[in-house]
Amino acid sequence: MKKIIVLAIGLMLFVTGCGSNSEEDLIAKFEKNVSNSKSYTLKGNMEILSNEETFTYSIEANYLQDDFYKVTLVNQTNNHEQIILKNNDGVYVVTRALNKSFKFQSEWPSNSSQSYILSSLVKDIKSDDNKVLEEQDKNYVIKTAVNYPNNSSLTYQKIYFDKDMNLEKVEVYDKEDIVNIKVVFSSIDLKSGLKEEDFLLEDLIDMNAEKEEENNTYNEEENTTTNNSTSNNTEANNTTTDENTSNESDQTNDNATTNETQNTEDNCENEECDTKSSNILDSIIYPLYIPSETYLSNSEEIDTDEGNRMILTFAGDKNFVLIEEVASVASDFEIIPVYGDPIMLSDTIAAKSANSMYWTSDNVSYYLTSNDLSTEEMVTIAESLGNTKVVSGSK
């Protein structure tokens, strides 16, 4: 009888022990899979909810041991592509459409939570002593706190796994329990076999040059076709009878001056004049959010060599200046050093330094500078910009 009791107690302790360790074992399995990966490639879609709008990105993240990263983000609304590259030289945010890149000396991605970086998810799990693992019908869900220094409203995340602890998706919630960021993974290859050569800035520059050369070749071929067509039409139009020539001679003379003027205008439009007119910002884009006791004190439009520039000056408790102009494409690949960090906005990636922030959205470049605004306030102003004439707090 005593033996039976001892065996029963032992079995109870064994079962209890397995149950108490199961959560730790499951989490350890995910952590081990990530730490054992020398390189990985993951793909998926990311949704960002902002001001009741949803911005969707296709995303591909590549990682190589020793802190190499290459993340390609493509906005599905306007096909705007940006690449975050980290290698031994620093952190770059490359916008190939503008032939430009910002270069940072930054701790990214370790200085904040990143829902599409596996090591960041592992760090969030390890850092939260109050994390909770819940078993559902078809998966496991780990709930942890998050660290978004530039957005204090984001408080926790849910990380979804299948029964084998393979990552499926991540949801980031705000204080009101609303999903603000959702990343759904379509594929994760933890043995992608990447090398350092896959993380070179020069390759991105070369790819851009090849694309530009292809576009130039296409334009040249199209122009050749157009010119041949015009030549054929001209020959056909010149085949007229003597009677028609006589009747039209006066009209030709009258139209000579008009045609010369028109040709001059066409040349202007096809060259410098067209370039400048395409760089004209038609109206000011006002922010919907302005800090309290702050107002628009002055707006000014100035002409530049490439187009125009709008300068908005805000005064009050939080002084700041907002500059807007049409985004320009650099003739040669341009690298702009920034002493700060890349910041993910809803529809683009911004470059943030100590007291300024620069970003491009919908073909408009913005520059925001202030000694009074916090980074979170700058981000809020940037997110609120839209085509509107209404300015909250104007005076």
Side-chain angles (χ1 to χ4, degrees):
M1 183 69 179
K2 290 182 179 180
K3 289 182 178 180
I4 294 174
I5 294 174
V6 170
L7 287 172
I9 293 173
L11 180 61
M12 288 176 62
L13 290 173
F14 175 77
V15 172
T16 303
C18 287
S20 63
N21 292 327
S22 62
E23 177 178 322
E24 295 178 0
D25 292 342
L26 290 168
I27 293 174
K29 183 177 181 179
F30 172 62
E31 294 175 353
K32 182 179 179 180
N33 288 340
V34 174
S35 62
N36 286 346
S37 175
K38 295 181 179 180
S39 71
Y40 67 71
T41 295
L42 60 82
K43 298 179 181 179
N45 286 320
M46 177 171 66
E47 293 181 355
I48 300 178
L49 178 66
S50 176
N51 298 323
E52 299 183 353
E53 285 189 89
T54 301
F55 299 86
T56 304
Y57 291 85
S58 65
I59 184 170
E60 178 178 332
N62 295 286
Y63 164 79
L64 177 66
Q65 206 168 41
D66 295 331
D67 222 22
F68 285 74
Y69 293 91
K70 182 169 66 175
V71 180
T72 303
L73 297 159
V74 180
N75 188 321
Q76 294 299 290
T77 301
N78 54 22
N79 210 34
H80 181 60
E81 179 198 70
Q82 288 180 289
I83 300 172
I84 308 175
L85 176 70
K86 184 173 186 180
N87 55 28
N88 287 328
D89 297 325
V91 178
Y92 300 86
V93 173
V94 182
T95 306
R96 292 193 292 180
L98 299 179
N99 214 21
K100 295 178 182 178
S101 173
F102 291 101
K103 181 182 180 182
F104 304 84
Q105 293 300 325
S106 170
E107 296 302 317
W108 183 92
S110 62
N111 53 1
S112 66
S113 295
Q114 306 288 343
S115 51
Y116 48 81
I117 300 293
L118 299 184
S119 58
S120 178
L121 296 175
V122 169
K123 181 180 179 181
D124 289 339
I125 293 171
K126 286 184 174 182
S127 301
D128 188 359
D129 294 332
N130 298 315
K131 58 181 171 289
V132 176
L133 185 145
E134 177 186 356
E135 184 176 1
Q136 298 182 351
D137 291 338
K138 296 182 180 181
N139 53 25
Y140 295 104
V141 182
I142 301 177
K143 179 180 177 182
T144 77
V146 292
N147 173 35
Y148 286 92
N150 304 314
N151 190 346
S152 60
S153 67
L154 300 179
T155 56
Y156 69 93
Q157 65 187 352
K158 290 183 178 180
I159 310 171
Y160 293 78
F161 302 86
D162 64 16
K163 288 299 184 180
D164 294 321
M165 287 305 289
N166 297 309
L167 182 63
E168 292 183 325
K169 69 176 179 179
V170 178
E171 295 175 338
V172 183
Y173 292 77
D174 62 17
K175 296 175 181 178
E176 298 177 354
D177 299 321
I178 297 173
V179 177
N180 278 216
I181 302 172
K182 180 168 73 172
V183 179
V184 179
F185 301 98
S186 58
S187 65
I188 300 177
D189 181 4
L190 295 176
K191 298 179 180 179
S192 58
L194 297 172
K195 301 178 181 178
E196 287 191 19
E197 291 77 12
D198 298 312
F199 298 83
L200 296 176
L201 177 65
E202 291 77 9
D203 287 348
L204 301 181
I205 298 174
D206 292 341
M207 288 172 64
N208 210 40
E210 289 175 6
K211 184 176 180 181
E212 185 176 348
E213 186 175 346
E214 289 176 3
N215 291 336
N216 290 337
T217 302
Y218 173 79
N219 291 334
E220 287 175 3
E221 291 174 352
E222 191 169 270
N223 288 337
T224 301
T225 303
T226 302
N227 290 336
N228 289 338
S229 176
T230 302
S231 176
N232 292 334
N233 289 335
T234 300
E235 290 176 4
N237 290 334
N238 286 338
T239 308
T240 60
T241 64
D242 292 339
E243 184 179 352
N244 289 338
T245 303
S246 176
N247 292 334
E248 293 173 358
S249 60
D250 291 339
Q251 183 179 353
T252 302
N253 291 332
D254 291 338
N255 290 337
T257 304
T258 303
N259 290 337
E260 184 177 353
T261 303
Q262 183 64 47
N263 289 336
T264 302
E265 291 176 355
D266 290 342
N267 289 335
C268 179
E269 289 178 358
N270 291 331
E271 297 173 2
E272 295 180 359
C273 297
D274 183 59
T275 301
K276 187 164 185 177
S277 63
S278 65
N279 288 335
I280 295 295
L281 193 63
D282 293 331
S283 60
I284 295 174
I285 303 172
Y286 294 100
L288 289 175
Y289 168 80
I290 297 176
S292 61
E293 303 301 323
T294 303
Y295 59 90
L296 177 64
S297 64
N298 185 54
S299 61
E300 180 183 5
E301 178 181 356
I302 63 173
D303 291 330
T304 67
D305 292 338
E306 297 181 345
N308 67 338
R309 181 176 296 144
M310 306 293 189
I311 302 176
L312 306 180
T313 302
F314 294 83
D317 286 356
K318 299 290 181 75
N319 299 286
F320 66 93
V321 175
L322 177 64
I323 301 174
E324 306 169 354
E325 60 188 328
V326 174
S328 60
V329 181
S331 56
D332 296 318
F333 192 83
E334 182 179 0
I335 299 178
I336 305 168
V338 178
Y339 296 96
D341 295 295
I343 293 179
M344 188 75 204
L345 302 179
S346 297
D347 65 338
T348 190
I349 302 172
K352 173 67 176 64
S353 63
N355 60 354
S356 65
M357 191 163 75
Y358 177 90
W359 70 101
T360 299
S361 175
D362 288 333
N363 202 37
V364 177
S365 292
Y366 298 91
Y367 179 76
L368 176 62
T369 181
S370 172
N371 291 322
D372 300 328
L373 294 173
S374 66
T375 299
E376 188 164 356
E377 287 172 323
M378 285 188 172
V379 170
T380 305
I381 291 172
E383 296 278 27
S384 77
L385 280 162
N387 292 309
T388 177
K389 302 294 183 181
V390 180
V391 182
S392 173
S394 62
K395 182 175 178 179

